[in-house]
Structures are given as structure tokens and as C-alpha cells.
Amino acid sequence: MTVPVINAVINFSTGPSFAQAFIIGEGILGTNILADSAAVIVDVSNVVDSVSIKRGRNAQADEFQTGTLTLRIVDQNGDFNPQNPGSPYFGLLNPMRKVSISATYSGTTYPMFSGFITSYTTTTPKNATDVVYTTIQAVDALRLAQNAQIATVTGATAGDLSGTRIDQILDQIAWPDSMRDVDAGLTTMQADPGTARTSLAALQTVTNSEYGAFYVDASGSFVFQDRSVTTASIAGTPTVFNDNGTDIGYFNAVWRLDDTLVFNQANVTRTGGTVQNATNAASVAKYFAHTYNIQNLLMQTDDVALDYARAYVASRAETSVRCDAIELDLYTDNYNTGIIAALDLDFFDPVTITTNQPGASTLTKTLQVFGVAHNVTPNKWRTTFTTLEPVIDGFILNSTLFGVLDTSVLSY
């Protein structure tokens, strides 16, 4: 049985970049970053005991959350004791140093997590023969954006597209261009309000105004996707999972039918505008009122805010059975396609999940991946995908924005 190989690398340099420094006369242009001295980068893969990674979106908050890593390593030599002068890392063990986890399988290396160390915790063994472990906790760059306070955003004037505004905010916190993947955006912004807030709050306001997505990918880059990408990706070719042996196998499917994601009223307010309301009366009569409120968005007109409210309610007024999560066991025999799926699928990738039920019935749904978690030990590798329907249906959103949605059917 062939399973992936974990790669764990710690970069003890300062700054956000995970690349090796480029010194004049050394290094590789286009791969390394320019610096005065090379970073101290160490591969600790051979002492990894376990890895736990969690990245994804909070469905009810409609926002991606900070990704986390727990990396436990065997530390029999006291290398991660910050007071050990014999440690090869003596003087380097500080919080906010960089750590990257990847997996190599069948000749391909897949990024799994890139972030910043928040703590090193070392166990105290009872006996001299006990194994000593150091547990490293890390977070991805969303935490850095949460920690960075801003007020003004240089160059952020009325008429900017949302992608331009995202770049301006990232410029404000000196985030490297090489660690961004920013779509142009489709919504024009007001001038930045210039209020004191975190850079993450500013980035999320722009993202919500676009009906887009903002997150950190497994390589550590900030990603901004506009609504054309987030809504259209569900129409791509899905990866197919089935528990009957015909497609990629899985277990622990969580199917649910509830009202958690029902919203039949929406109140959307832009800065300087009035509240724009949309209601689906039939849904309210069926499920009672479920109200979505969002304020201080930056679209330029109330009409665009109203489009947002209408599209949100039209997408969320009804509910149906969905699969919230599935789990893959990468130590399954003859599981090549499952291993590739576990390492390759990421946010917004479409998946079709079928679970066979008693009475020759099935549960089947095509959804998007919105969360990825890996739990790896020496004799186990489990990957969990959390899945959801699109936040806003692409057809409904585009119909609303182009003024062709039949609002009478939707009971606004």
C-alpha cells in the first residue's frame, strides 16, 4: 500500500514570504525573494509524529476562518528547547516564524498548509525513557490580517473595482505581490471610509460588497475570488464519490435537512445608503422569518445593494437535504483516486456525493468543497471535506444584476 509522505518545513526568517531569500550572486530569480541574508530553513519531516490541519468557511457567518495547524514532533535532543544552547535552532525559536506542510504522492507534491507559528509546547516526561514531544501550533495569514490595524487606505477612491481595493488594502499592510491571487472584481466601490478597523475587516467588507470570497490558500497566499468565479465553479466537472464501490469511496457522510441556512428576509445597507429589503413571503409562511442583516458595504448605489438582498433571499428561501461532510481514509488499499482527491481538492471545487440507503434508495447531491481537514499519525491518515451549496446561486445572482429575474415568482 502506497501512502503520501508528509513534508514539514520551518522557516525561521522574519516577514511573510515562505520562499528562500535571494542573495545577489546566489539563488534563483523568480523563485526566491530578495534579502540581505539567507533564511534559516529546516526540514523536520523525519521527526514528525502527527499533523492536524483545519481550513475552511463558517457557513452561518459566510466567511472563511483562520486556518490552523497542530504539528507534533519528536524532540529527544531538546532541539526545540529555547534555552538549550546546544540546539541547532538556539536563538531562532520565536513565535510568528513560518511553517509549511505538504504531501508528496506519486511524484507530485501537494501543499497542505502554510502559516505562522504561535506557540511551541514541550511535554515533561515522567521517566527518562519516555518520548519527549514538542507541539507546534500555527495559524494562517488571516490571523495576521486580523492583527493589523488600519485607518486610511492609500489610493482607495470611488470607482475602484473590488479587486483593486483588495490590492490597495494588502498594500497598506505591505503584503507581498507574490503572495496574492486577486481577481479584478465586478463591483465598483465607494471611496474607503477611512475608519479605524482591522485590515481583515476591511478586506471582508469589500468581499461582501462583491459577493465574493477571501481566504488563504494552502500555499499561504491571500486569494480573492469575485462572484463570477464563486458562483460558476459549481458548474464544473465534479469529483464523484459513492459508497457502493463504483467511484471514490468514503465514510462518515453527514446528511442533514434543517433550516440552518434558510434566509427568507435580507436587509442590506451600504455606507451612506438606506436599508434595502427583500422578502420571500412564501418562505416566511413555511419556515417563519429567518433574517439576514449586513451593513456598511461599499457598493456605490442602493440598486446594487438591493440586487444583493434579492439574490441572497432567492438563493436561500428554500432548503433541501445536503451532505455536510465526508471522510476519506487514505490508508485504504488501492485508493489512488481517493488519495489524489484528498490532496488536490480545495475550496469551491465541485463534488457529487452519493450515499446508498436502505430500501434501495439513495441520497445524492452536487456541492462545493468549503472546508478541508487532515489528521495524520504514523498509522492513520483521515481527510474530511465539509461541503455546501453555493452561498448565492449564480443564475439567480446574474439574473438579478441584469434585471431579468421574475421577482413576482419569488414574492419580493
Side-chain angles (χ1 to χ4, degrees):
M1 178 176 60
T2 302
V3 296
V5 176
I6 284 285
N7 312 300
V9 175
I10 298 175
N11 183 330
F12 287 108
S13 67
T14 58
S17 179
F18 292 87
Q20 176 59 282
F22 172 80
I23 315 300
I24 299 300
E26 306 174 25
I28 304 172
L29 283 172
T31 299
N32 306 130
I33 57 168
L34 188 63
D36 296 327
S37 61
V40 177
I41 298 178
V42 296
D43 188 328
V44 297
S45 306
N46 64 327
V47 291
V48 169
D49 177 70
S50 64
V51 175
S52 178
I53 293 168
K54 187 174 182 180
R55 303 169 49 244
R57 172 176 162 269
N58 183 305
Q60 291 180 295
D62 280 349
E63 292 175 346
F64 284 91
Q65 306 296 296
T66 299
T68 60
L69 164 71
T70 300
L71 173 65
R72 191 168 82 156
I73 60 177
V74 178
D75 191 17
Q76 290 295 80
N77 298 321
D79 290 344
F80 285 86
N81 175 359
Q83 295 185 344
N84 177 12
S87 165
Y89 318 132
F90 184 66
L92 300 173
L93 295 169
N94 293 303
M96 291 292 109
R97 300 294 80 95
K98 291 159 284 195
V99 58
S100 300
I101 306 295
S102 61
T104 300
Y105 178 71
S106 191
T108 301
T109 297
Y110 300 86
M112 296 171 60
F113 178 88
S114 297
F116 302 85
I117 296 170
T118 55
S119 68
Y120 311 82
T121 303
T122 302
T123 61
T124 303
K126 281 186 176 182
N127 305 303
T129 57
D130 289 346
V131 176
V132 178
Y133 297 102
T134 291
T135 301
I136 292 173
Q137 302 283 352
V139 294
D140 70 20
L142 280 183
R143 177 69 62 83
L144 304 189
Q146 176 63 32
N147 291 341
Q149 294 285 324
I150 63 170
T152 58
V153 177
T154 302
T157 57
D160 291 334
L161 284 173
S162 54
T164 299
R165 184 62 53 82
I166 292 287
D167 274 327
Q168 291 164 342
I169 298 168
L170 293 176
D171 288 343
Q172 202 68 36
I173 62 173
W175 194 258
D177 291 344
S178 61
M179 297 178 64
R180 309 180 191 182
D181 181 4
V182 178
D183 288 345
L186 301 174
T187 300
T188 54
M189 300 286 108
Q190 303 179 40
D192 183 79
T195 55
R197 72 273 199 208
T198 68
S199 61
L200 181 59
L203 292 160
Q204 289 173 336
T205 295
V206 175
T207 301
N208 288 332
S209 302
E210 168 65 36
Y211 341 118
F214 185 78
Y215 58 89
V216 175
D217 67 16
S219 297
S221 294
F222 281 124
V223 178
F224 170 70
Q225 293 185 333
D226 65 31
R227 62 178 179 266
S228 68
V229 176
T230 59
T231 60
S233 56
I234 189 68
T237 302
T239 300
V240 181
F241 296 88
N242 199 314
D243 64 352
N244 68 357
T246 60
D247 296 296
I248 299 174
Y250 65 89
F251 65 103
N252 283 352
V254 180
W255 290 92
R256 180 169 286 128
L257 175 61
D258 60 22
D259 70 338
T260 303
L261 301 179
V262 170
F263 287 99
N264 45 37
Q265 297 178 335
N267 302 319
V268 177
T269 311
R270 69 184 183 95
T271 298
T274 58
V275 180
Q276 302 299 304
N277 309 107
T279 300
N280 186 306
S283 176
V284 173
K286 186 175 182 180
Y287 301 116
F288 303 100
H290 291 61
T291 305
Y292 172 75
N293 291 289
I294 191 165
Q295 301 174 338
N296 300 318
L297 298 184
L298 290 175
M299 60 275 288
Q300 286 191 308
T301 69
D302 281 344
D303 286 342
V304 176
L306 180 59
D307 288 340
Y308 185 164
R310 287 176 169 175
Y312 203 92
V313 168
S315 298
R316 299 293 196 91
E318 270 298 336
T319 187
S320 63
V321 67
R322 66 183 186 275
C323 184
D324 278 357
I326 58 172
E327 194 168 342
L328 311 185
D329 181 357
L330 275 60
Y331 274 54
T332 301
D333 289 333
N334 302 315
Y335 201 52
N336 180 64
T337 55
I339 292 172
I340 293 172
L343 299 177
D344 194 45
L345 290 177
D346 206 12
F347 305 148
F348 295 102
D349 287 336
V351 293
T352 297
I353 302 166
T354 299
T355 299
N356 293 272
Q357 295 285 289
S361 64
T362 60
L363 288 164
T364 299
K365 195 87 172 188
T366 296
L367 302 144
Q368 290 175 313
V369 173
F370 274 109
V372 182
H374 298 279
N375 287 286
V376 187
T377 66
N379 56 7
K380 183 181 76 174
W381 187 316
R382 301 288 173 81
T383 296
T384 302
F385 292 122
T386 53
T387 55
L388 283 168
E389 293 173 325
V391 177
I392 296 181
D393 182 270
F395 173 76
I396 291 173
L397 177 62
N398 292 329
S399 297
T400 303
L401 292 175
F402 287 102
V404 297
L405 187 63
D406 185 352
T407 56
S408 64
V409 173
L410 295 169
S411 306
Y412 291 121

